[in-house]
Amino acid sequence: MAFSLGSQVLSLLIVLLLLQSPGEAATCSDCFVHSRATYYPNSEEQGTDVGACGFGSFGATLNGGDVSAASDLYRSGLGCGACYQVRCTDSAYCSDKGVTAVITDQGSSDGTDFILSKRAFGRMAQTTEAAASLQALGVIDIEYRRYPNKNITIKIDEHSNNPYYLAFVIEYQQGKKDITAVQLCETTNFVCIVMDRSFGAVWTTTSAPIGPLQIRMLFSDDDDETWVVPLNTIPQDWKVGQTYDTGVQVN
């Protein structure tokens, strides 16, 4: 049986598309993942101050209270502080934008990836009435993606004691990679020490260099790792509860 030139070209294009599709899907950085979400039914509007990520009392108001516990996305604390755009999928109730939530705790419920604060859960809705309807449903279908929303910030932990003990949490982690190591460097001679991950998003040291401090963050995944060095520094007179903007966003 003979095939026309047009048929042969069409067949070739189909084969090429089939070959390219898996690679393109695997490298899609902006694609949404389908899942489910619920909320803390006994929570206040904002987050919790006892989460597994170590944000402490800061965790209740972090990101304006738009926070969440996570199950698989917690990943033994590596996922702490990560930002996600989360939006529900029922067009009768849900907005296109959804909400940007920060992981501050670990938890799972009924096959969900997110247990949102009541505030964050309601902010996925189009209206106040729609938010009440979503809360009545309890568990809803959602889609999510990692989302650069704000600059990565450093929050000095409430147990720190300058200059003897420095602990901080990294807020608003972004991009597809995780922060797997942190170095703390003095800005004159650039002598650096490696900080310890205490748990969750908490990084600590009992031997912080003297003077203004520069941090270096290692972003890693299964294929690659990159050191990110913000230009902004932590001042020498750092104080408990202070937040320092790194000036960095990671796509």
Side-chain angles (χ1 to χ4, degrees), residues 36-41 88-94 109-110 112 118 121-122 124-125 128-142:
R36 307 174 79 205
T38 186
Y39 67 98
Y40 287 107
C88 51
T89 57
D90 190 332
S91 59
Y93 303 121
C94 304
S109 174
D110 198 17
T112 61
K118 188 179 294 184
F121 195 85
M124 292 188 291
T128 302
E129 292 76 15
S133 297
L134 289 180
Q135 290 174 0
L137 292 172
V139 178
I140 59 174
D141 292 325
I142 56 105

Side-chain angles (χ1 to χ4, degrees), residues 48-71:
T48 175
D49 58 2
V50 293
C53 286
F55 288 106
S57 59
F58 307 134
T61 56
L62 178 63
N63 198 38
D66 291 338
V67 296
S68 181
S71 51

Side-chain angles (χ1 to χ4, degrees), residues 1-5 7-8 11:
M1 180 184 297
F3 291 92
S4 69
L5 178 60
S7 298
Q8 293 175 359
S11 299

Side-chain angles (χ1 to χ4, degrees), residues 11-67:
S11 299
L12 179 59
L13 287 174
I14 293 173
V15 170
L16 289 174
L17 286 172
L18 290 173
L19 288 174
Q20 291 174 0
S21 295
E24 290 172 355
T27 58
C28 178
S29 59
D30 294 324
C31 293
F32 282 91
V33 178
H34 293 279
S35 184
R36 307 174 79 205
T38 186
Y39 67 98
Y40 287 107
N42 58 343
S43 74
E44 299 297 331
E45 283 295 307
Q46 296 179 323
T48 175
D49 58 2
V50 293
C53 286
F55 288 106
S57 59
F58 307 134
T61 56
L62 178 63
N63 198 38
D66 291 338
V67 296

